[in-house]
Amino acid sequence: MRPPPLWPLLLLLHLRAAAPADSPSQLPAPRNPKIWLYNTEQVLSWEPGSLSHEVGPVVYQVQFKYPSSREWSDVTVSSVGVNCSKISVTECDFTPTSLSRGFLRYFNVSLRVRAELPGLPGHASAWASVPWFQHYRNVTIGPPGHVWVTPGEGSLVIKLSAPFNIADPSMVTFLYYVHYWEKARNPQVKGPFRDSSIVLRDLQPLSEYCLQVQAHLLWKSQDLSRLGRLSNVSCHVTSADASTKLQRVVLVAVATFLSLAGLAGACVFLILRFRGLIKYWFHSPPGIPAQIEEYLKDPAQHMLEALDQESPAEDDAWESVSEVSSSEQEQRALSRAEGAPATL
Ligand SMILES: *[C@@H]1O[C@H](CO)[C@@H](O)[C@H](O)[C@H]1NC(C)=O
Ligand SMILES: *[C@@H]1O[C@H](CO)[C@@H](O)[C@H](O)[C@H]1NC(C)=O
Ligand SMILES: *[C@@H]1O[C@H](CO)[C@@H](O)[C@H](O)[C@H]1NC(C)=O
Ligand SMILES: *[C@@H]1O[C@H](CO)[C@@H](O)[C@H](O)[C@H]1NC(C)=O
């Protein structure tokens, strides 16, 4: 059965009458306050108190405290960078942005929240608290932001980005572990790696490997290590290893050498076979038709001239001709000297 509409007002009057004006304990407190710490996210959330939706619109006040300070402080734009004073939503988001700075990640922070009635100052619920936290101590680390895998020779080259940026790397660092397995084999773990560039060596060439990468947050001064979440599974086939590659390189080199040698041999053969023709092409002066014309007019003389111009080989031939003729002349002179008849 629904309560009559007047019921909230009656409840309020009752609260007023029953409690002293400065007692805040009568409004139901927010329930199940929780702090969500994931990578850089810092969000406090809660549920409305059991009656608060019936007593009218309530607003919430969030306060924080460091161990060094005695007093609680309101979460305001000037104190933490966000306005969580007199808010009607049931969460307060401290996550650092360009506008808000959030809580420093190594600070020890305690938080509490209560409900208040906006029009009735002094009417507030009890405080609901979350346990103290330090971001780096309590945070849940996500998987690496990106994982790029390049298959290598019997290896996998992994490049990854951190789950989130660390502002103070001298204090806190990420270490990485790689979980990997060949199909139907047991997973293996390699790490820790400090570098965001990792090479998995000694893998079978031309085999499929699956892998997941995990970041660990290491807080040196506190000797504290937080395990991150595993990245999604990704699978890759390694390429041929060095010896297989070397074989291929040698084969290609030998084949290239053999074909070049064959080509060179063919060239030499052709040059030898058609030496005369090639000489003719390369040495003939450009005016061939005119020469041929003259040659046709007086074949014998132009043949000799042409031969004279041509080459040493033909010069030799010409010399031998003159030698022959000169020795003929000598023979004739000799036979004349011996008194032999000049005509035979
Ligand atoms: C953080 O502060 C709380 C009290 O405010 C204290 O109990 C706790 O021990 C502190 N934690 C660390 C790690 O200093
Ligand atoms: C904070 O937010 C509430 C609700 O949005 C608003 O009423 C209040 O004026 C804000 N306070 C400041 C200081 O801006
Ligand atoms: C943070 O971690 C400490 C112990 O490591 C624990 O006592 C505390 O309750 C945690 N805080 C939260 C909000 O979970
Ligand atoms: C992992 O896979 C889930 C669903 O398969 C997807 O929503 C998520 O974005 C993936 N994460 C990364 C880092 O790729």
Side-chain angles (χ1 to χ4, degrees):
M1 200 183 102
R2 284 183 57 82
L6 266 181
W7 190 81
L9 186 59
L10 291 176
L11 177 81
L12 267 181
L13 291 173
H14 169 76
L15 289 178
R16 258 203 171 159
D22 58 351
S23 164
S25 60
Q26 302 306 312
L27 203 62
R31 289 178 302 150
N32 294 329
K34 285 191 196 79
I35 180 82
W36 164 259
L37 302 171
Y38 182 83
N39 287 347
T40 60
E41 295 168 24
Q42 303 175 337
V43 183
L44 177 72
S45 63
W46 58 89
E47 292 162 24
S50 49
L51 286 177
S52 48
H53 61 287
E54 291 176 6
V55 292
V58 296
V59 292
Y60 299 98
Q61 177 66 50
V62 181
Q63 291 191 329
F64 71 96
K65 189 167 108 52
Y66 303 131
S68 54
S69 55
R70 293 179 63 83
E71 300 292 318
W72 290 82
S73 311
D74 288 347
V75 171
T76 62
V77 173
S78 56
S79 65
V80 185
V82 296
N83 171 19
C84 293
S85 294
K86 317 263 184 279
I87 55 171
S88 49
V89 292
T90 57
E91 68 164 39
C92 181
D93 189 344
F94 306 100
T95 307
T97 62
S98 51
L99 297 175
S100 99
R101 58 187 177 279
F103 292 111
L104 287 181
R105 295 182 197 154
Y106 49 91
F107 274 19
N108 181 342
V109 183
S110 298
L111 289 174
R112 64 182 192 177
V113 58
R114 75 176 180 186
E116 294 176 354
L117 283 175
L120 295 166
H123 276 91
S125 73
W127 291 101
S129 311
V130 289
W132 64 271
F133 72 91
Q134 280 171 304
H135 192 95
Y136 283 142
R137 181 185 300 274
N138 297 84
V139 68
T140 302
I141 315 275
H146 281 100
V147 181
W148 297 273
V149 182
T150 315
E153 302 167 358
S155 65
L156 292 174
V157 181
I158 304 165
K159 288 208 192 319
L160 33 91
S161 64
F164 58 90
N165 280 338
I166 285 178
D168 25 39
S170 59
M171 193 186 307
V172 176
T173 49
F174 280 118
L175 300 177
Y176 300 99
Y177 289 82
V178 182
H179 302 242
Y180 67 99
W181 59 93
E182 217 181 328
K183 278 276 155 70
R185 300 267 177 101
N186 284 335
Q188 286 176 280
V189 182
K190 279 234 169 108
F193 298 98
R194 292 195 161 270
D195 205 18
S196 60
S197 182
I198 297 168
V199 184
L200 286 185
R201 297 179 201 284
D202 301 327
L203 305 181
Q204 294 297 314
L206 303 171
S207 307
E208 185 173 21
Y209 285 85
C210 297
L211 61 86
Q212 286 178 289
V213 189
Q214 187 178 35
H216 286 211
L217 185 91
L218 189 69
W219 188 1
K220 282 166 258 178
S221 65
Q222 306 285 311
D223 200 17
L224 194 132
S225 167
R226 296 285 294 172
L227 213 70
R229 292 195 178 155
L230 286 164
S231 65
N232 287 347
V233 176
S234 67
C235 299
H236 312 270
V237 177
T238 54
S239 52
D241 73 345
S243 66
T244 320
K245 267 217 169 129
L246 188 65
Q247 280 172 15
R248 275 189 206 163
V249 167
V250 167
L251 269 179
V252 166
V254 166
T256 308
F257 175 77
L258 284 180
S259 50
L260 283 179
L263 202 64
C267 283
V268 167
F269 172 77
L270 286 176
I271 286 168
L272 290 177
R273 177 79 177 75
F274 298 104
R275 185 159 58 176
L277 197 58
I278 288 167
K279 259 184 195 158
Y280 176 73
W281 284 341
F282 279 87
H283 288 270
S284 303
I288 292 170
Q291 270 193 333
I292 289 172
E293 214 175 276
E294 280 188 54
Y295 168 79
L296 289 174
K297 281 180 201 158
D298 191 354
Q301 206 218 317
H302 285 99
M303 169 84 113
L304 291 178
E305 273 177 14
L307 282 170
D308 199 10
Q309 280 173 1
E310 284 285 348
S311 72
E314 270 126 351
D315 284 345
D316 290 348
W318 185 236
E319 272 166 30
S320 65
V321 168
S322 39
E323 266 165 30
V324 166
S325 54
S326 65
S327 59
E328 265 173 6
Q329 281 167 0
E330 274 167 25
Q331 269 177 351
R332 275 185 208 137
L334 233 125
S335 43
R336 267 190 231 117
E338 282 164 4
T343 51
L344 288 170

